[in-house]
Amino acid sequence: MINRNDSPKGLPTIKDVAAAAGVSLKTVSRVINGDEHVREQTREKVLAAIKAVGYQPNAIARSLRVKKTYTIGVIIADITNNFYSAIVRGIEDIATSKNYSLLIANSDEMLKKEKQYTRIFVEKQVEGMIIVPAGGSHQYLEHLAGHLPLVFVDRQPEDFKGASIVKVENSQGAYNLTCHLLQHGYREIAYIGHIASLTTGEERFAGFKKAMEEYGQEIKPFLVRMGSKTVMDAFRATQEVLTEQPRRPQAIFATNNIMVLGALRALTYLGLEVPRDIALVGFDDFETADTCRPRLTVVSQPAYAMGREAAIMLFRQMEGAAAGQEITLPTELIIRESCGCLGQFHDSPERRR
C-alpha cells in the first residue's frame, strides 16, 4: 500500500512511483525527463507505475532542473475570430505533441498591447513566440531576434526583415475571386477592406486591382472603403457605399470574415437580398458561410495548416535552424450561391463545395 502522508496534500510522489515500479528514484527521473538510454522494458514499467499511482510531474521543478519552461507565446488579433482560433488550434496540436504549452494573448489589432504581451512573455521565459503582427513598426523585436525564436503568421511587418513567416497567396486569391465576378458580367464592384497598412490588406487590394485592370475596369474611389477593423466598421462602410451614390454597385467584395459579417448586416438592414439585388463574396471561409442562406462564395484560407506550419517552423528554430524561412500556402475559390453564378458552372464541379 502506498503511503502518501509525507507528500503535499497526500499527492503521490516520485518515491511512490519508484516503489511501485521496483526501480530507483534516478531511473524514474530519467524516464520522466525522456532519457533515451533507459531500456524499453524499464520505461514501460515506470510509465505503468506513474499511471497506477496517479503521479503528476511537477512542471515548475522540472523547468528549473532542465532550464526549460516548455512554453511558447502566441499573440493573435482576436481569439473570438474563427480564423485566428483555427490558427491557434494548429499551433496547439503541434505544441502538445512535443509536451509544450501555449500562452495566448489578444492584441486587438493594437501595437501597444502586442508590445506589452511580448514583454510579459519574455519575462515568463517562453522559448519562442508566434505573432500575428498588428499594424505599425516592429523594430522593437529586433533585439529579441538574435536569441528568441520568432515566427510571424498571416502577416509580415514591412520594417522587420529576415524573420520567418507563414502566410497565404493573398494577391492571387483576391485576383481569382475578382475575376470570377468579372467573368460573369459584374462591373460595378464595391470593395470593403480591412486595415490597408497590413500586408494582407495591401496584397488583397493588389489582386483586386490587377483583375479589374485586366478586364479594363476603372476602380471608382467611391466604391472603395478601407480601414475597417470591426463588424460595425464594415457595416457603416457598406452602408455608405450602398446609400451615398444614386446607383448602387452590382457586387461587394469583403476582404475577410469580419468584413463579410458587417456587409451582410448592412444588406439586411437596407432590405437588400443576396444575390437577387446584389452579389456578395468574401476572403475567408468560416463555419456559417456554408450554412447561411444564401451560402457564401469565398476564398478559403487553410488557417489550421497555417498554425501547424508556424509551430513546426518555430520548433525547428528552437532546435537550431536558421530564421528567415517563408512558407506561402495556396488559397481555394469556393463557389456557392451568394455570387449568383453557381448555376453557370456545370463544366467545373470540382470548383464547387
Side-chain angles (χ1 to χ4, degrees):
M1 181 175 179
I2 298 173
N3 182 1
R4 297 175 179 167
N5 294 331
D6 59 346
S7 63
K9 299 181 181 181
L11 295 175
T13 68
I14 192 171
K15 292 181 180 179
D16 300 324
V17 175
V23 298
S24 67
L25 294 175
K26 183 178 180 180
T27 298
V28 176
S29 179
R30 289 170 63 193
V31 171
I32 292 173
N33 289 308
D35 191 326
E36 297 179 355
H37 298 96
V38 179
R39 288 189 303 172
E40 189 59 31
Q41 183 179 2
T42 302
R43 186 188 310 280
E44 291 177 359
K45 185 189 298 184
V46 171
L47 292 175
I50 287 173
K51 184 176 181 180
V53 305
Y55 172 69
Q56 294 290 330
N58 187 319
I60 295 176
R62 184 185 178 207
S63 66
L64 290 172
R65 183 168 59 252
V66 299
K67 297 182 180 180
K68 293 170 69 72
T69 61
Y70 294 95
T71 58
I72 58 176
V74 179
I75 303 176
I76 57 173
D78 182 6
I79 193 65
T80 63
N81 185 325
N82 291 336
F83 173 69
Y84 295 118
S85 58
I87 287 177
V88 170
R89 185 58 185 268
I91 296 170
E92 181 183 38
D93 284 353
I94 294 299
T96 54
S97 73
K98 296 179 177 294
N99 296 318
Y100 271 70
S101 300
L102 305 185
L103 296 178
I104 303 172
N106 296 293
S107 71
D108 296 320
E109 299 288 11
M110 297 169 59
L111 185 61
K112 181 178 179 180
K113 289 188 69 174
E114 179 189 304
K115 290 180 178 179
Q116 177 185 356
Y117 283 122
T118 299
R119 185 165 56 251
I120 291 171
F121 286 169
V122 170
E123 290 172 355
K124 291 186 177 295
Q125 298 183 320
V126 298
E127 296 178 42
M129 281 194 287
I130 296 174
I131 301 177
V132 176
S137 174
H138 283 73
Q139 292 183 0
Y140 79 95
L141 289 172
E142 289 184 356
H143 73 283
L144 290 177
H147 62 272
L148 184 69
L150 173 66
V151 173
F152 292 114
V153 64
D154 183 39
R155 316 163 181 166
Q156 182 169 6
E158 293 183 0
D159 61 350
F160 190 90
K161 305 302 181 182
S164 296
I165 181 170
V166 177
K167 59 181 183 177
V168 301
E169 295 175 338
N170 287 292
S171 181
Q172 186 64 45
Y175 172 83
N176 292 342
L177 186 55
T178 308
C179 284
H180 171 71
L181 292 175
L182 292 164
Q183 287 165 3
H184 293 280
Y186 295 106
R187 294 296 180 263
E188 300 282 323
I189 304 174
Y191 187 90
I192 307 300
H194 59 298
I195 306 171
S197 61
L198 299 175
T199 53
T200 50
E202 293 176 352
E203 292 167 1
R204 290 173 197 177
F205 187 72
F208 172 77
K209 181 180 179 182
K210 178 183 177 184
M212 293 289 281
E213 290 176 346
E214 286 186 3
Y215 277 77
Q217 299 302 306
E218 177 188 359
I219 297 178
K220 298 174 181 176
F222 61 83
L223 291 181
V224 176
R225 292 294 188 278
M226 305 285 274
S228 294
K229 289 184 179 181
T230 67
V231 171
M232 282 307 300
D233 289 342
F235 170 81
R236 287 188 286 266
T238 305
Q239 257 196 316
E240 291 172 3
V241 163
L242 295 175
T243 60
E244 291 185 357
Q245 300 297 323
R247 179 179 175 181
R248 68 170 178 258
Q250 300 168 306
I252 295 174
F253 181 148
T255 62
N256 64 25
N257 57 3
I258 299 299
M259 303 301 101
V260 168
L261 294 174
L264 275 173
R265 184 177 293 184
L267 292 169
T268 301
Y269 178 79
L270 295 170
L272 298 175
E273 184 177 326
V274 177
R276 186 194 66 188
D277 300 318
I278 189 170
L280 174 65
V281 299
F283 202 113
D284 269 350
D285 201 11
F286 51 98
E287 188 174 351
T288 57
D290 192 33
T291 58
C292 65
R293 290 294 178 267
R295 298 185 307 151
L296 294 171
T297 292
V298 297
V299 168
S300 177
Q301 300 186 79
Y304 176 81
M306 291 169 70
R308 281 183 57 90
E309 291 296 336
I312 291 170
M313 188 179 288
L314 184 71
F315 278 104
R316 285 176 180 164
Q317 283 189 40
M318 289 162 58
E319 294 165 0
Q325 304 301 309
E326 181 175 310
I327 294 177
T328 303
L329 299 175
T331 58
E332 179 185 5
L333 175 60
I334 301 177
I335 299 168
R336 301 184 179 121
E337 289 94 357
S338 71
C339 58
C341 308
L342 186 60
Q344 303 179 43
F345 272 71
H346 301 300
D347 61 334
S348 301
E350 72 280 3
R351 294 178 68 86
R352 302 185 223 161
R353 190 168 77 190

